[in-house]
Amino acid sequence: MKYVDEFRDGDLAKNIAANIAGEAHAGRAYRLMEFCGGHTHAISRYGLADLLPPNVRMIHGPGCPVCVLPIGRIDQAIRLAREQDVILCTYADTVRVPASANLSLMRAKAGGADVRMIYSTQDALKIARDNPQREVVFLAIGFETTTPPTAVAIRQAAAEGLKNFSILCDHVLTPAAMHAILAVEGGVALDGFVGPAHVSTVIGSKPYEPFADDYHKPVVIAGFEPLDVMQAILMLVRQVNDGRAAVENEFTRAVTREGNLKAQELVAEVFELRDAFEWRGLGSVPHSALKLRPQFAAFDAEQKFKVDYVAVPDNKACECAAILRGQKRPQECKIFGTVCTPENPVGSCMVSSEGACAAHYSYGRFRETA
Amino acid sequence: MNTVKPNYTRALDLKHGRVDMSHGSGGRAMAQLIAELFAAAFDNEYLAQGNDGALLPQAQGRLVMATDSHVVSPLFFAGGDIGCLSVHGTINDVAVMGAKPLYLSASFILEEGFPLADLNRIVESMAQAARAAGVPIVTGDTKVVEQGKGDGVFITTTGVGVVPDGIHLSGDQARPGDKILLSGSIGDHGMAILSQREGLTFSAPIVSDTAALHGLIAAMLDSGVRLRVLRDPTRGGLATTLNEIARQSGVGMMLHESAIKVNQPVEAACELLGLDPLYVANEGKLVAICAPADADRLLAAMRAHPFGRDAAVIGEVLADAHGFVQMTTRLGGRRVVDWLAGEQLPRIC
């Protein structure tokens, strides 16, 4: 497949692996965080850990949209679906995220709530147009990648005068989360970041420059193909060896320094910063999420249905928080693979294949049994 | 066929008519639907008996019975429809037991308002598939549910076949060292359905692989190899099927990603939707496990048949108390090919 097979070539991967092994200094450890769940997935799916020397360790970051959504946000959506009789539309894995009272959106649906999984914001708009007598709420989650399509939907709904459509806005911002990880006192020791792929096509590479300049952490933006990830790891090892900290772009075929200005303008027109937003694992992070601007308040489900956010603590046994901050590996959680499995996730890291726990459970757990 | 002319005042309007509640009431309208549509299309001596059950001749060998319900959406897709699918799927379930499929039953749950023209297409497709396979539909049932309580049409087919003496295939027969063979590319059926459902178009269309595999299986059995397990990797795909066999046999497996064929449009569609073809449904493929010494002969027998021309050895059975199905990736790493948790969902961003 053109533009894909080229980035999955086994011989090239072995060459890069040999370079990483040759250039990584035997006497030191390289702790590299792949921020994005897409990279976590690629590393697990292609078994990339087997290609790295033992002193180059990948640490899974918080860049999985469903993993960072706190329980209270899913509760909000469930309350809307059950108590306000709305049609609740959402993306993929969100339906399986554990909520309060042993519920999830999937279980709420089985109990009679009208929850629909959609592939795009356009699907949600169509459902609203087709059901003028019902209120339709789109649970809008995700990083900078999924925000522009939500903005497009809001503009379309406004232009059409669609009165029965609104969003529960849980869009979050990547750089704010990276700040939160680095700013934690006694936080995880990191030598660099593999920067997000799709997110960076929107925001560009510029927003990562403070991590290199202020925190002296190298960042290499990489695509989601396995060779992209391998090449980014090599570039990070080289920066660490040189004592440099710069933002480098491995994903030049899609990412520029400035990013997609049109998408950024669109997002800025529809959204503004929230003062603070609670993240799963990171706690409340200032200016780390978006809400609708006042002129689009009619499309804000939180205001329209008066559903307040109520914070809910995570299950005490669940160590997703430490895992999301890179302080623990999935297999170090006491309930990993026993009480908490993909079929019965206790924490959201076990839900999506982009979550650190689910990725390790589904693809890599044979390593503990060797 | 009964030669007495039934006293229906007007023939079924197969062009513009729709299913209504009377077609499931057990009265004259239902009798007419059965006579003019189902019996006419499936036409065989057993169905013509007109009884509640089919009286079948004695068969030599152990009996195999399998049943499958079909709830596919859309009902018509590139490469097939729910009709031929319901015939192929059950024939394959019988055949992978090593049996010669003999007879099928078909049960229809129709939704009020369903166009008779579509039902006619489906029934014709079933009839053609059954005739081509040489497996008649000898008995059936029809029910009608109110509008909104169905999805157009649901079809349940049951198949009966006989296993000749000396053949014993079962999911618990895989042994460490055995070879795992796959008859062709994976993911074609599931992605044909999904790409049509999502309105995705590709330069090369994705066509379902739906097919009856009893001919291929007969050729494999005739080759004289010691077959241990046969299974058709339908819902849940290749990954689920191999995990089922690994669990039943108490073994592990090591697959080789580079040996597993995925057609390019299927791979592209999976990429686009963030799905793994290992978990996508197939309706015309089979997995075979045999003793290592027999693998080459079995492979040759499969490749000599049109439905097995892309057959390949895709891995080996291992002794593994954990029962992991693992895979060496194209990149040279290793991973688990796990059971699917819930249904496969596309990624968010």
Side-chain angles (χ1 to χ4, degrees):
Chain A
M1 196 171 13
K2 201 160 170 53
Y3 307 123
V4 171
D5 290 343
E6 297 87 331
F7 297 96
R8 295 180 185 175
D9 185 300
D11 291 335
L12 275 176
K14 286 186 187 79
N15 282 343
I16 302 173
N19 286 337
I20 293 171
E23 295 190 31
H25 296 159
R28 69 159 298 167
Y30 298 79
R31 291 149 303 189
L32 310 176
M33 176 177 273
E34 86 275 3
F35 177 88
C36 193
H39 288 134
T40 305
H41 181 80
I43 289 166
S44 304
R45 178 173 170 182
Y46 296 100
L48 297 189
D50 293 327
L51 304 182
L52 299 176
N55 58 332
V56 176
R57 184 188 148 195
M58 301 308 294
I59 297 165
H60 308 299
C64 157
V66 304
C67 295
V68 296
L69 210 56
I71 292 172
R73 291 279 164 195
I74 300 289
D75 283 355
Q76 248 181 328
I78 291 174
R79 284 210 304 279
L80 273 178
R82 295 175 90 190
E83 295 165 17
Q84 311 263 6
D85 194 33
V86 308
I87 300 174
L88 197 287
C89 303
T90 187
Y91 289 140
D93 278 340
T94 317
V95 296
R96 298 176 51 221
V97 178
S100 297
N102 205 20
L103 276 174
S104 63
L105 281 165
M106 190 182 270
R107 286 181 180 163
K109 178 175 160 63
D114 197 345
V115 176
R116 304 190 193 181
M117 200 190 79
I118 57 165
Y119 289 85
S120 80
T121 54
Q122 292 304 310
D123 296 341
L125 283 179
K126 183 174 185 305
I127 291 170
R129 289 186 202 109
D130 292 347
N131 296 275
Q133 76 290 1
R134 298 278 307 277
E135 285 288 342
V136 175
V137 177
F138 170 53
L139 175 53
I141 78 160
F143 290 89
E144 290 87 342
T145 326
T146 54
T147 313
T150 307
V152 169
I154 294 292
R155 285 225 310 200
Q156 267 179 284
E160 291 175 29
L162 212 52
K163 298 262 187 277
N164 63 329
F165 177 78
S166 57
I167 69 164
L168 201 53
C169 185
D170 289 327
H171 282 302
V172 289
L173 302 171
T174 304
M178 290 172 73
H179 273 296
I181 290 167
L182 292 172
V184 169
E185 207 171 315
V188 64
L190 282 179
D191 296 299
F193 285 100
V194 176
H198 294 162
V199 163
S200 305
T201 62
V202 177
I203 65 174
S205 64
K206 198 173 155 188
Y208 305 106
E209 288 170 5
F211 306 113
D213 299 341
D214 302 343
Y215 292 99
H216 202 71
K217 300 293 179 196
V219 179
V220 176
I221 295 155
F224 284 142
E225 294 301 329
L227 286 190
D228 288 319
V229 180
M230 292 295 289
Q231 181 64 26
I233 292 169
L234 178 60
M235 290 164 77
L236 283 169
V237 167
R238 284 176 178 163
Q239 283 205 48
V240 172
N241 286 347
D242 295 346
R244 289 187 297 122
V247 176
E248 293 180 332
N249 184 7
E250 184 278 338
F251 199 31
T252 50
R253 62 190 188 277
V255 171
T256 62
R257 183 168 182 268
E258 302 300 330
N260 184 336
L261 295 175
K262 201 171 171 189
Q264 291 169 27
E265 282 166 22
L266 186 63
V267 169
E269 179 195 327
V270 175
F271 296 102
E272 62 185 14
L273 280 178
R274 283 183 192 260
D275 293 336
F277 187 85
E278 190 188 344
W279 291 57
R280 195 151 194 274
L282 301 180
S284 181
V285 181
H287 302 127
S288 65
L290 299 174
K291 62 180 179 180
L292 285 166
R293 287 191 179 279
Q295 61 265 40
F296 295 105
F299 302 100
D300 185 343
E302 280 184 83
Q303 295 186 42
K304 191 172 185 176
F305 300 99
K306 311 267 183 294
V307 276
D308 292 331
Y309 171 70
V310 181
V312 178
D314 286 336
N315 185 310
K316 276 186 189 148
C318 170
E319 304 205 58
C320 277
I323 292 161
L324 282 166
R325 288 196 301 267
Q327 290 166 326
K328 281 197 172 178
R329 299 184 199 214
Q331 58 270 40
E332 289 165 358
C333 173
K334 286 187 290 292
I335 57 173
F336 173 83
T338 53
V339 177
C340 185
T341 63
E343 281 72 27
N344 289 295
V346 174
S348 48
C349 292
M350 192 54 103
V351 173
S352 160
S353 66
E354 298 186 1
C357 295
H360 185 68
Y361 186 91
S362 300
Y363 295 113
R365 70 187 188 278
F366 68 88
R367 291 192 174 87
E368 272 84 65
T369 62
Chain B
M1 292 287 282
N2 194 340
T3 51
V4 179
K5 190 174 165 52
N7 57 348
Y8 309 129
T9 52
R10 193 181 297 167
L12 272 181
D13 182 358
L14 290 176
K15 210 168 177 184
H16 306 292
R18 288 180 180 275
V19 171
D20 61 47
M21 296 307 291
S22 71
H23 289 123
S25 64
R28 189 174 287 131
M30 189 169 110
Q32 183 181 16
L33 183 76
I34 290 168
E36 293 185 13
L37 190 59
F38 298 122
F42 300 152
D43 186 25
N44 59 68
E45 58 183 303
Y46 307 104
L47 200 59
Q49 293 164 359
N51 295 317
D52 283 351
L55 191 64
L56 305 169
Q58 198 169 3
Q60 290 298 313
R62 289 160 295 159
L63 288 176
V64 168
M65 184 174 166
T67 192
D68 212 345
S69 295
H70 299 83
V71 294
V72 62
S73 173
L75 296 169
F76 302 94
F77 46 84
D81 53 70
I82 189 173
C84 64
L85 190 68
S86 68
V87 169
H88 294 154
T90 296
I91 285 177
N92 292 345
D93 284 348
V94 171
V96 292
M97 297 296 292
K100 178 184 188 316
L102 295 176
Y103 309 106
L104 291 172
S105 76
S107 170
F108 294 82
I109 296 177
L110 308 172
E111 186 180 4
E112 181 188 20
F114 189 67
L116 287 177
D118 286 349
L119 184 59
N120 192 32
R121 268 178 77 188
I122 290 166
V123 169
E124 284 296 338
S125 171
M126 286 181 82
Q128 197 185 337
R131 267 196 301 276
V135 186
I137 297 167
V138 297
T139 187
D141 183 50
T142 309
K143 296 282 188 299
V144 178
V145 294
E146 286 173 7
Q147 207 159 62
K149 293 190 173 174
D151 199 9
V153 55
F154 301 140
I155 304 175
T156 299
T157 47
T158 300
V160 173
V162 286
V163 188
D165 289 339
I167 292 175
H168 180 63
L169 302 179
S170 175
D172 62 3
Q173 297 294 305
R175 298 288 176 266
D178 285 354
K179 296 289 182 187
I180 306 164
L181 290 86
L182 176 65
S183 65
S185 60
I186 57 167
D188 299 273
H189 175 72
M191 292 319 293
I193 297 280
L194 202 57
S195 56
Q196 194 152 334
R197 206 185 290 164
E198 299 309 319
L200 303 176
T201 51
F202 298 91
S203 51
I206 302 175
V207 177
S208 168
D209 60 346
T210 181
L213 297 172
H214 57 316
L216 169 62
I217 292 169
M220 292 164 71
L221 292 170
D222 287 348
S223 72
V225 302
R226 286 165 291 171
L227 264 177
R228 304 212 210 266
V229 186
L230 276 183
R231 194 69 60 89
D232 53 337
T234 52
R235 193 174 32 159
L238 179 65
T240 303
T241 294
L242 292 178
N243 273 287
E244 284 169 0
I245 297 169
R247 176 180 283 180
Q248 270 182 281
S249 293
V251 295
M253 294 180 184
M254 181 61 77
L255 311 178
H256 309 295
E257 188 175 26
S258 54
I260 299 170
K261 186 180 178 193
V262 183
N263 285 324
Q264 200 172 309
V266 170
E267 195 175 2
C270 284
E271 280 301 318
L272 196 66
L273 295 171
L275 304 176
D276 187 338
L278 289 170
Y279 296 90
V280 177
N282 312 278
E283 289 292 348
K285 298 296 170 351
L286 60 81
V287 171
I289 295 179
C290 71
D294 289 341
D296 288 344
R297 199 145 46 107
L298 182 59
L299 189 62
M302 291 170 78
R303 285 182 173 167
H305 192 278
F307 290 153
R309 61 175 175 269
D310 291 329
V313 176
I314 60 161
E316 297 82 37
V317 177
L318 307 175
D320 176 6
H322 298 281
F324 287 137
V325 176
Q326 297 184 47
M327 183 163 80
T328 54
T329 72
R330 277 188 279 179
L331 273 287
R334 257 197 314 163
R335 58 170 269 202
V336 176
V337 176
D338 207 5
W339 292 88
L340 196 58
E343 58 179 322
Q344 198 176 196
L345 300 171
R347 68 165 157 255
I348 291 173
C349 68

